[in-house]
Amino acid sequence: MDLCRVCREGTELVIDLGLMPRANATVFCSNCYLFQLTESPKPTELFTAEYPFFTGMSKSMIEHFREFAISEVIETASSSTKVIEIGSNDGTFLKVLHEAGITYLGIDPSESAIKKAKSAGLNCFHGFFDLENINFLQSSFGMADYVIGANVVCHIPDLLDFFEAVSRILKEDGTLIFEEPYLGDMLKLGSYDQIYDEHVFIFSVLAVDKILERTDLELIDIKHQETHGGSMRYIIKRRGVAGKSTQLQEMLKVELELGLDKMETFINFAETCMGKREAFSNLLHFLKSEKKIVVGYGATSKSTTILNFCNVDNSLIKAIGDSTPEKVGKFTPGTQIPIVTHEEVRSLNPDYIVMFAWNHFNEIVIKDKFIRDSGAKVISIVPNISILDKSNV
Ligand code: TYD
Ligand code: ZN
């Protein structure tokens, strides 16, 4: 039996997605409510010099980070405010602080991302935010008023080490704010493609609140976000500094009503995943028998989970278009579907386009004339496997 990564109690299997290029099964700990991967690669293997994810690829994410920086930091900052962003990626968030004249430091283990941020003139440190580096960070930058993370804490296998590192560098009245894909949305949408090697955890509010009981930090507020298919922002202070907001107390109740503390809920989720696998596979096999050309939009990390779990290879999906130059010319891991430019996808005259970047769909529909106006039909995978009626999008 796999033990919980945080409390070391026994966990129960939710769903085994089968052999993946990297990650595989997910389990639930009824003791601390953590939904987690059984195995995950070492972060040093994941966030390498070639890490191909850049926040700035999406206009709506740039807008989101601008709003995040302004509302959570800039509006209340003084001339002495110091901000650390962990997992600062290409500097999309840092840039807003930089332009506002705030003192900041970005930290990221991925050389490709750090290079982009540094070439934009942003102040960054190449490495991990962990106990090993914390003394150096503290002596070179000083204590922080804010530690910020977006889509990064769920990547950290040793959460207690991380919270201890935060605690060492946060001022007495400092604030830790992080936001991550939200378990409640994953269950509601059946978006099991959120489960992949980087997402060691998919957090609920209950789980974050509970883990923090093992630290000197406390969850005091939450704010739901639409990004990444539904995320939750967690606002944390030192224990005893502030009370829990009404909104947070309400959400803890809602999650108990939804059963996010119960294994039974996750068994139902696993059944939903199996049903979606069958529906997707049946649809693609049917389209193949009809000699239709099917392509994908967005060689996302999420798509790796779907393609491998549903056994979809290049005999069912001919190619996947992506705007990231670092991905073009490569193949989807484990399923060998060519990743090409969007122009190349269009030249294949597809009959169907599977929308793997579904979390960016609103942005894509507005900017991509081909998706909007061509005869190709869009296959939606979230919340259900369905062929979209484009007159409604
Ligand atoms: P993302 O949704 O962030 O997913 P994940 O975290 O699962 O990798 O990745 C979006 C992918 O879609 C990324 O490879 C870039 C691509 N993309 C486009 O090709 N066109 C677009 O307009 C957008 C917004 C993204
Ligand atoms: Zn646990």
Side-chain angles (χ1 to χ4, degrees), residues 53 196 297 300-302 322-324 327 342 359-360 367:
F53 176 86
Y196 59 87
Y297 193 107
T300 58
S301 309
K302 293 187 284 294
D322 199 284
S323 58
T324 316
K327 292 186 182 180
H342 292 300
N359 46 315
H360 299 288
K367 76 176 172 200

Side-chain angles (χ1 to χ4, degrees), residues 4 8 10 39 54 57 80 82 93 98 142 146 164 173 182 202 213 265 269 272 277 287 307 351 365 370 374 385 390:
C4 171
R8 313 307 299 162
E39 282 170 50
F54 303 109
M57 291 304 297
S80 65
K82 286 187 164 193
F93 181 86
H98 188 86
Y146 291 95
E164 174 65 24
D173 60 348
Y182 175 52
I202 312 275
E213 285 174 9
T265 309
F269 168 70
T272 304
R277 167 164 72 177
L287 295 176
L307 296 171
D351 299 298
V365 160
F370 184 79
S374 78
I385 308 295
K390 280 202 279 183

